[in-house]
Amino acid sequence: MSVHSPVDDRSTAVPAPDAGGLRRSLSGRQIGMISIGGTIGTGLFLGSGLAISLAGPAVVVAYAAGAVVAILLAYALAEMTVAHPEAGGFGAVTRRYLGPLMGFVQRWIYWTTQVIISGSEMVAVGLYVRYWWPQVPLWAAVSAFGLLILVVNLASVRLFGEVEYWSAMIKVTVIVLFIGCGLAYVFLGLPGHPATGVSAWTDDGGFAPHGITGVVLALTIVTLSYGGVEAFALSAAESRDPARDLPRAARGTVARLVLFYLLSTSVLLSIVPWREAAGAHGVEQSPFVRLFDVAGVPAAAGVMNFVVLTAALSAANSQLYIASRTVYSLAQDGCAPALLARVGRRGTPAAAVLASAAGLALAGVVSAVSPDDAFQLLLGIGLFGGMATWLIIFASHLAFRARRPADGPPRPAVSLPGAPFSTVAAMVFVVGVLVASAFTGPFAIAWKVGLPFLVFLALLHPLVRRKK
């Protein structure tokens, strides 16, 4: 595959005060929370039932494997985007090192994925609102909160960063409380409730009741839950200090992934028998609610409903942001209408935000029609797009590492340990997840929709280039 690089490849290592018209207004703490906001969604709070049903307690192995690959991705992205902190993040890096075709395909499939997933999160928000007010039409709740998310993204990027920081902080706080209470319950017991220990891990069919096959299939759902870890790289062009903030965001994301996903899942499976956790549906049945009830938290179900509603809003907010910056980057390269590259007085690409709000409009339509399989369809498409994006990111990192010695820049502040071998191993893992998705119930749709869309983009690119 040919390597594409502009003439002045090294000049981007030191960023200008503004990049492509975007304002560098995001602080390091905000960038870190943007990634967390996109990664931790409602699936963790309501229990990853499908993954647990496939692997049983051994799902923690799947979460550990997924965390390792997500960590490798975070470090690879930080290494590349510190060297090239430009609009488009990893999409711009892909164009630079793998050529215009791959940059075009990656950014369009990623944009489409984020638009669709943001819509599914908004449908979830509407459902959570109806927990309190069931008489409210689903489409009305979805539309109202969709408008709120749109307004936040159209405002200054600094306001967006603050909103995302505090909404993500709610999720982080609840997870930390859950882990703290859970560990106390498991090893010490709570008032009126003796310690549970970890016997639930092996009581019903053993640690891996469905064998290695179940763990492999669970990797599909587990890896999807880590989707969004790449979001911090999209903020490179709006970071006040990319060389400082992006490595910090990568390291912070790594620590939180290990803490939140692995510890939360381990605590959950110690408290709730795995078959019961696999069949839990709705806020009232969430293991989080069960633990907080035992701990004496008043109105635990209502509190958790507020938390999962905030989690869904945070995820949708983050997804709309990164979708708008992705299509903005495409417009800058002439691969999308030039209107989408315009930046308003607040430093926000308003047209790109409005175009990316198509997912919010889709949510309104889906909530009106409300088919039973809407979420599975949307998540299946999201899985294929997300894994295709990860695969291209790792391929970009291989090309990046091959080129950097020749370019001769100083050693980056953060680098991927074990590269290029760790990069190749991660690529093999992602390919395995994509293959396994064809055999995992609701995610079989991923290939049926994702592969034709990839072919369509590859055929569309020559026409776009010719017009450009």
Side-chain angles (χ1 to χ4, degrees):
M1 184 176 291
S2 63
V3 175
H4 173 75
S5 179
V7 175
D8 188 12
D9 194 19
R10 291 178 237 178
S11 63
T12 55
V14 179
D18 291 311
L22 299 176
R23 296 179 183 174
R24 295 193 178 277
S25 302
L26 291 176
S27 65
R29 66 182 178 86
Q30 292 170 336
I31 290 174
M33 281 301 184
I34 288 173
S35 183
I36 292 299
T39 306
I40 301 177
T42 56
L44 176 63
F45 291 106
L46 298 181
S48 299
L50 181 56
I52 295 173
S53 69
L54 290 170
V59 74
V60 296
V61 176
Y63 272 109
V68 169
V69 176
I71 288 167
L72 296 178
L73 184 80
Y75 273 86
L77 281 171
E79 182 178 351
M80 293 189 292
T81 51
V82 165
H84 304 292
E86 55 196 84
F90 54 80
V93 173
T94 295
R95 173 186 52 79
R96 182 184 297 272
Y97 289 98
L98 296 184
L101 173 60
M102 293 303 291
F104 177 86
V105 169
Q106 183 196 46
R107 283 178 286 179
W108 272 117
I109 195 170
Y110 189 67
W111 178 82
T112 304
T113 299
Q114 293 304 313
V115 166
I116 291 174
I117 297 300
S118 67
S120 69
E121 292 286 355
M122 292 312 302
V123 175
V125 168
L127 293 173
Y128 301 143
V129 169
R130 296 186 70 187
Y131 171 83
W132 288 310
W133 301 289
Q135 71 277 10
V136 174
L138 184 60
W139 65 266
V142 169
S143 300
F145 280 94
L147 182 61
L148 174 63
I149 291 297
L150 182 59
V151 169
V152 168
N153 273 267
L154 287 172
S156 67
V157 69
R158 182 177 299 178
L159 174 61
F160 161 81
E162 277 305 300
V163 171
E164 186 59 25
Y165 177 85
W166 289 108
S167 58
M169 182 61 74
I170 293 174
K171 295 188 287 188
V172 170
T173 302
V174 172
I175 293 171
V176 171
L177 288 174
F178 176 79
I179 292 173
C181 291
L183 290 175
Y185 191 12
V186 171
F187 295 109
L188 302 175
L190 294 174
H193 300 274
T196 63
V198 294
S199 60
W201 285 39
T202 56
D203 278 349
D204 188 1
F207 180 67
H210 302 305
I212 188 65
T213 301
V215 177
V216 171
L217 292 178
L219 282 173
T220 305
I221 297 95
V222 166
T223 308
L224 177 63
S225 69
Y226 288 117
V229 68
E230 69 284 340
F232 75 90
L234 271 297
S235 63
E238 294 169 280
S239 168
R240 295 174 187 169
D241 187 349
R244 179 198 65 192
D245 295 340
L246 296 180
R248 285 182 180 178
R251 296 187 187 104
T253 299
V254 166
R256 292 179 181 114
L257 285 176
V258 173
L259 174 67
F260 296 159
Y261 277 99
L262 288 182
L263 279 181
S264 293
T265 307
S266 299
V267 168
L268 185 155
L269 291 169
S270 301
I271 297 172
V272 182
W274 72 267
R275 292 188 190 276
E276 183 178 332
H281 298 289
V283 171
E284 298 94 334
Q285 298 180 37
S286 167
F288 280 76
V289 172
R290 177 168 174 169
L291 176 61
F292 290 148
D293 269 332
V294 170
V297 175
V303 171
M304 275 310 303
N305 191 66
F306 171 77
V307 171
V308 294
L309 189 153
T310 305
L313 281 173
S314 170
N317 194 36
S318 177
Q319 287 151 359
L320 180 55
Y321 168 81
I322 60 181
S324 64
R325 271 49 178 183
T326 301
V327 78
Y328 169 84
S329 169
L330 283 162
Q332 280 198 317
D333 289 346
C335 297
L339 173 66
L340 302 179
R342 295 182 183 176
V343 177
R345 289 178 298 175
R346 297 184 178 92
T348 301
V353 172
L354 291 172
S356 301
L360 306 182
L362 175 65
V365 174
V366 170
S367 62
V369 179
S370 193
D372 294 336
D373 59 350
F375 280 107
Q376 293 181 354
L377 174 64
L378 294 175
L379 290 177
I381 297 171
L383 171 69
F384 189 93
M387 291 301 96
T389 297
W390 282 22
L391 192 61
I392 297 173
I393 288 172
F394 284 123
S396 301
H397 187 257
L398 286 177
F400 170 84
R401 275 295 185 93
R403 281 295 308 276
R404 298 309 285 174
D407 290 344
R411 184 174 179 82
V414 62
S415 59
L416 175 60
F421 304 105
S422 56
T423 310
V424 173
M427 294 175 72
V428 171
F429 177 91
V430 173
V431 170
V433 169
L434 279 172
V435 172
S437 69
F439 304 94
T440 311
F443 297 112
I445 189 68
W447 282 94
K448 297 176 183 177
V449 176
L451 193 58
F453 186 56
L454 277 179
V455 173
F456 167 75
L457 290 175
L459 295 175
L460 180 64
H461 180 253
L463 301 176
V464 174
R465 288 200 69 185
R466 189 177 300 119
K467 183 178 179 181
K468 177 182 175 183

